[in-house]
Amino acid sequence: MTSSVDLEQLAELPDGEFLDELEETGVRERELAVKKLVMAYAWAVRHPEQVLDPAEAARPGREKARRHGGDGTPTVTEFAAAAFAARLGITTWAGAALIADALDLQHRFPVLWERVRRLEVRDSYARFVARRARDLSREQAAYVDARVAESADGRIPWSRFEALVEGAVVAADVDAAREREERAARATFAKRIRTQADGMATFMIRADVATIEQIDTAVGNLAETLGDAEPEFAGDTARVEALRRALANAGLAGAKGRSATLFVHVYAPCPAHPDTDEIARVEGHGAVTEAWIRRVLGEDARATIKVQPVLDLADRAPVDAYEIPDRHRRAVRLLTPADIFPFASCTDGTMQIDHTLAHGAGGESALGNYGPMTTQHHRIKTHAGWDVQQPYPGVFLWRDPYGALYLVDNTGTRTVPRRRDQQRYDLFMDRLRAELQLTA
């Protein structure tokens, strides 16, 4: 299947007709979004709690019922979201979230849902309301529905609509809002969050407003003092450097014997371009240049460099036991850094390491039979009718309970075209053979 958009045809349209076509495209997009929500609801209806065997569901790891939506929505079989999400090319979590929103809109927000069906309200606006009001009772959700449905059609900017929804949720249950404030006051943290590109990362502090004001003022004062002494530091650069120095001088950076550790993988120069700056990889972050390593880790002796030998992934000898040795876990982490379930997003180093072919069924405890997965995906693989094979180390071929195939490797997930679409299937296989350097 390929796009039928004809660029030359569009280029020849007068501006007015071009914009009419664009408007129609927006309408079709909304229609498809509504259809997706309807199908999410229908999928939930097809997988009610009643289809589960209570005795089987009570066993460890087996599928159970789950209430994805809020009060007043029916429970759904827990693993149903996996196949649904994979067909859309999204994570299991995102598929479950779509099902939850569809259930909420149908059962808790009838006014808003009717406006979505009439294409008067975008699905993104309606889903935002459903998520923010999920903890409310059905009656309280009805109050929010009445308060926000009229303004959900884009007549006010998003920031104002967001504030309207937040206010309606608070007004619907003031006691719960007070409890959320109390829980939030206890949910403070200071931690590194999701890393970003180009050698940069983010450290976030969450605390009450007064504490953040104190920290902000203190960092500002330190930055001003640093800027006066060393004019090359200014603005946000001065704030970061001042905070780093303050923590280092306070002796806190190495508290309790801990030190910051980065695992950096460097590679031999490319023979064809020996003078080109090479790319390295920082575990948990991504690709950086060797120039970044010299600048950030080398120039001011900020880091102590420890060179370790290359881990030969081809030399991880199998073991007889079911338990996975640490040396194998390290090798799996290098070979397959992400959850191997189709379209999964987790890259946490604490994921479970699964035997692709079960150890009890003759599967080796060796590279080529390992794959990291979250607990939920491990349970789905074991108990929900999914099948997976690992024809080459780090390459996983999945089949869902309905016959759809997904190829997962270090580049991500690709849906394998059905054979009934022979042209797409042949093109996919030709590309795959080229990637794996195989012959037909």
Side-chain angles (χ1 to χ4, degrees):
M1 183 181 298
T2 58
S3 172
S4 60
V5 176
D6 188 327
L7 183 58
E8 292 184 3
Q9 213 172 39
L10 287 175
E12 294 174 358
L13 290 176
D15 283 357
E17 293 183 25
F18 183 98
L19 293 174
D20 288 343
E21 179 66 24
L22 179 63
E23 185 177 5
E24 284 299 316
T25 300
V27 171
R28 290 193 294 272
E29 183 179 36
R30 288 196 186 193
E31 290 173 342
L32 290 173
V34 173
K35 182 177 180 179
K36 191 185 296 184
L37 281 168
V38 171
M39 295 187 75
Y41 180 78
W43 189 250
V45 171
R46 295 165 74 100
H47 295 83
E49 178 181 3
Q50 290 73 19
V51 303
L52 297 176
D53 179 347
E56 180 70 11
R59 299 178 62 189
R62 287 351 187 241
E63 184 175 24
K64 297 171 173 55
R66 180 178 177 184
R67 190 180 304 281
H68 289 294
D71 174 51
T73 62
T75 52
V76 181
T77 56
E78 184 182 11
F79 297 157
F84 179 83
R87 292 299 179 99
L88 290 174
I90 58 179
T91 65
T92 303
W93 181 90
L98 180 57
I99 291 171
D101 295 344
L103 288 166
D104 274 355
L105 289 170
Q106 288 270 1
H107 289 277
R108 290 158 53 87
F109 298 93
V111 180
L112 189 59
W113 175 235
E114 182 57 30
R115 297 204 71 194
V116 172
R117 291 184 60 203
R118 295 201 302 259
L119 306 183
E120 296 171 358
V121 170
R122 293 183 183 278
D123 68 301
S124 57
Y125 278 63
R127 293 186 65 189
F128 173 74
V129 176
R131 289 194 303 271
R132 287 297 298 118
R134 183 143 299 143
D135 293 336
L136 299 179
S137 70
R138 191 171 188 176
E139 293 73 21
Q140 292 162 344
Y143 169 82
V144 174
D145 191 23
R147 281 281 305 274
V148 307
E150 183 181 22
S151 300
D153 56 9
R155 68 181 65 187
I156 58 176
W158 173 258
S159 58
R160 288 177 57 193
F161 179 72
E162 190 175 26
L164 174 66
V165 174
E166 298 289 349
V169 170
V170 170
D173 192 345
V174 177
D175 290 338
R178 188 180 301 111
E179 291 177 7
R180 287 196 299 272
E181 290 172 348
E182 293 172 356
R183 287 198 303 269
R186 297 190 295 270
T188 59
F189 61 77
K191 64 182 180 182
R192 173 179 170 168
I193 61 172
R194 183 179 178 181
T195 55
Q196 300 171 7
D198 303 320
M200 304 298 286
T202 301
F203 189 89
M204 177 179 284
I205 299 174
R206 176 182 170 86
D208 61 82
V209 174
T211 299
I212 294 298
E213 286 293 335
Q214 286 181 314
I215 294 173
D216 185 56
T217 300
V219 172
N221 292 338
L222 290 169
E224 186 175 351
T225 301
L226 175 63
D228 291 341
E230 302 179 43
E232 65 270 24
F233 291 105
D236 288 336
T237 302
R239 290 170 65 88
V240 173
E241 180 63 16
L243 182 59
R244 186 188 73 81
R245 292 189 189 185
L247 291 174
N249 293 337
L252 297 177
K256 294 189 176 180
R258 295 181 61 191
S259 59
T261 303
L262 287 177
F263 291 96
V264 182
H265 301 271
V266 295
Y267 308 93
C270 175
H273 305 282
D275 299 326
T276 302
D277 199 30
E278 294 299 318
I279 299 298
R281 185 166 295 277
V282 180
E283 277 194 31
H285 171 74
V288 295
T289 64
E290 288 187 0
W292 181 93
I293 296 175
R294 290 191 294 269
R295 175 173 57 83
V296 175
L297 303 181
E299 288 181 356
D300 60 358
R302 185 186 303 180
T304 300
I305 308 297
K306 180 180 179 181
V307 178
Q308 294 182 317
V310 172
L311 183 61
D312 186 356
L313 299 180
D315 192 32
R316 301 294 97 186
V319 295
D320 294 330
Y322 171 77
E323 292 77 14
I324 299 171
D326 287 343
R327 69 180 188 276
H328 284 198
R329 291 181 180 276
R330 179 70 176 154
V332 171
R333 178 71 175 158
L334 293 175
L335 181 66
T336 313
D339 186 338
I340 63 165
F341 194 81
F343 301 105
S345 60
C346 184
T347 57
D348 194 314
T350 62
M351 285 185 290
Q352 298 177 355
I353 304 298
D354 172 61
H355 288 79
T356 305
L357 177 62
H359 187 265
E364 285 189 315
S365 289
L367 280 186
N369 195 44
Y370 292 142
M373 282 192 284
T374 61
T375 301
Q376 182 191 26
H377 288 150
H378 196 171
R379 291 172 58 219
I380 290 171
K381 180 239 180 185
T382 306
H383 302 297
W386 287 71
D387 181 61
V388 60
Q389 298 179 19
Q390 191 175 174
Y392 304 95
V395 178
F396 301 86
L397 185 63
W398 287 86
R399 183 180 63 201
D400 76 9
Y402 308 96
L405 298 176
Y406 304 94
L407 183 74
V408 181
D409 59 16
N410 64 311
T411 67
T413 303
R414 284 166 285 178
T415 300
V416 180
R418 300 296 184 95
R419 281 187 176 272
R420 61 174 175 256
D421 189 344
Q422 195 65 42
Q423 183 178 2
R424 285 187 66 212
Y425 178 82
D426 291 343
L427 180 61
F428 179 91
M429 295 305 298
D430 287 344
R431 290 174 176 172
L432 180 61
R433 292 187 188 100
E435 289 176 15
L436 298 178
Q437 296 182 337
L438 299 175
T439 57

